Amino acid sequence: MEFLNYAFMQRALLAAVLVGITAPAVGIYLVQRRQALMGDGIGHVAMTGVGLGFLLSTSPVWMATAVSVLGAVLIELIRWYGRTRGDIALAMLFYGGMAGGVMLINLAPGGSNANLTSYLFGSLSTVSPSDVTAICVLAAFVLLVTLGLRRQLFAVSQDEEFARVTGLPVRALNLLTAVTAAVTVTVAMRVVGLLLVSALMVVPVAAAQQLTRSFTVTFVIAVAIGVAVTVSGTVTSYYQDVPPGATIVLLTIAAFLALTVLATPLARRRARAAAAARPAPDPAECTIPGARGAADEVGV
């Protein structure tokens, strides 16, 4: 436990815990909405914010937050109104965000593509005290939304038409979900990296769904998996000198595979138990043979 004596590891572990909580907390709604890759797209857009932060000598985290929130709003507007060519518009937005980030950081004084590496794939030693402050504030916002509005967000994620009929502000809630996902991307980029954050938003939820279909239980298990893999990946990265983002994602996939193997016999056992508990059919209600049934239909 000597790694706790280092300030940079204390900051990295705090950030890892917050990322492990917030990423699955938002990801569960994205999975329900079948927008599992939304985090990946926002991550591409956030690169422009990082580059702009270097160019203007401001905090890349806060600048990436502002740009990714704007990108999330544009994504929702395209989803609402771009019915015919929306996929092309989204592709241009995502790849334009990536290209913009590379260009801006090269235009920054003393900037180079090497500066992007810690934001693309995560880095332990570069998590500064100001980054931790920003991560804490942004994580508080994410948890406030995902927990405080969980019933409304779940209703919209399951069936937008039904939610609209019940009087929920569907468009406002969809927009809030997109903005929350954008904030989560910037929370996670210092630990996991912009290019890998989507995996931490989706895979823990998919792993939890192997064991249960209850929303609340899935939420709890997904967050537990998220915290476990982020902390384990951070510690492994310290001892083995490997990239934290890649380590965390690989551990997350390993957890998914392990739960899938575990869930298969459990599902079979539940199916057998359900079949055994099902009452036997009443002999009086047995169907009559096909030939006799045809005869009855013609009045025999």
Side-chain angles (χ1 to χ4, degrees):
M1 301 289 285
E2 73 278 0
F3 59 85
L4 292 177
N5 296 327
Y6 299 100
F8 79 93
M9 277 301 295
Q10 295 173 6
R11 295 191 296 266
L13 285 172
L14 176 59
V17 170
L18 293 176
V19 170
I21 295 172
T22 55
V26 175
I28 191 170
Y29 300 107
L30 299 182
V31 171
Q32 293 293 327
R33 288 157 56 101
R34 294 176 175 83
Q35 294 180 335
L37 295 179
M38 186 175 185
D40 186 58
I42 295 176
H44 285 67
V45 176
M47 288 179 61
T48 294
V50 173
L52 196 59
F54 278 103
L55 181 64
L56 300 179
S57 298
T58 59
S59 171
V61 174
W62 288 113
M63 191 60 68
T65 302
V67 173
S68 59
V69 166
L70 177 60
V73 172
L74 290 176
I75 290 172
E76 278 300 300
L77 291 177
I78 292 172
R79 194 172 72 89
W80 294 342
Y81 301 111
R83 300 295 183 185
T84 56
R85 307 300 292 272
D87 56 339
I88 297 176
L90 287 174
M92 290 191 294
L93 179 65
F94 296 162
Y95 297 122
M98 179 183 291
V102 174
M103 181 63 69
L104 288 173
I105 201 167
N106 276 277
L107 293 176
S112 67
N113 290 340
N115 299 109
L116 277 176
T117 303
S118 63
Y119 293 91
L120 293 177
F121 304 106
S123 176
L124 297 181
S125 60
T126 58
V127 180
S128 65
S130 61
D131 290 337
V132 172
T133 301
I135 290 171
C136 290
V137 172
L138 296 173
F141 168 79
V142 171
L143 292 177
L144 181 65
V145 172
T146 54
L147 294 177
L149 298 175
R150 62 186 182 279
R151 297 183 184 276
Q152 294 88 336
L153 294 177
F154 176 75
V156 173
S157 300
Q158 286 293 104
D159 191 336
E160 288 190 5
E161 293 302 324
F162 176 77
R164 188 175 288 108
V165 169
T166 59
L168 291 176
V170 173
R171 287 196 170 182
L173 290 171
N174 281 336
L175 193 61
L176 182 61
T177 302
V179 170
T180 307
V183 172
T184 304
V185 168
T186 56
V187 168
M189 71 179 182
R190 300 301 277 143
V191 176
V192 185
L194 292 173
L195 296 184
L196 299 173
V197 62
S198 184
L200 194 59
M201 298 171 73
V202 173
V203 179
V205 178
Q209 287 179 338
Q210 303 300 309
L211 300 178
T212 178
R213 295 298 177 185
S214 166
F215 175 81
T216 301
V217 179
T218 299
F219 188 99
V220 172
I221 295 177
V223 169
I225 294 172
V227 173
V229 297
T230 51
V231 172
S232 300
T234 301
V235 175
T236 301
S237 177
Y238 170 79
Y239 281 110
Q240 302 299 324
D241 192 23
V242 291
T247 305
I248 290 170
V249 171
L250 290 175
L251 288 174
T252 308
I253 295 174
F256 171 81
L257 295 176
L259 290 180
T260 301
V261 172
L262 177 64
T264 300
L266 290 177
R268 292 175 181 172
R269 187 178 304 173
R270 289 172 184 169
R272 287 195 297 266
R278 190 179 301 119
D282 190 345
E285 297 179 358
C286 292
T287 58
I288 49 180
R292 181 59 185 169
D296 287 345
E297 290 177 1
V298 295
V300 176

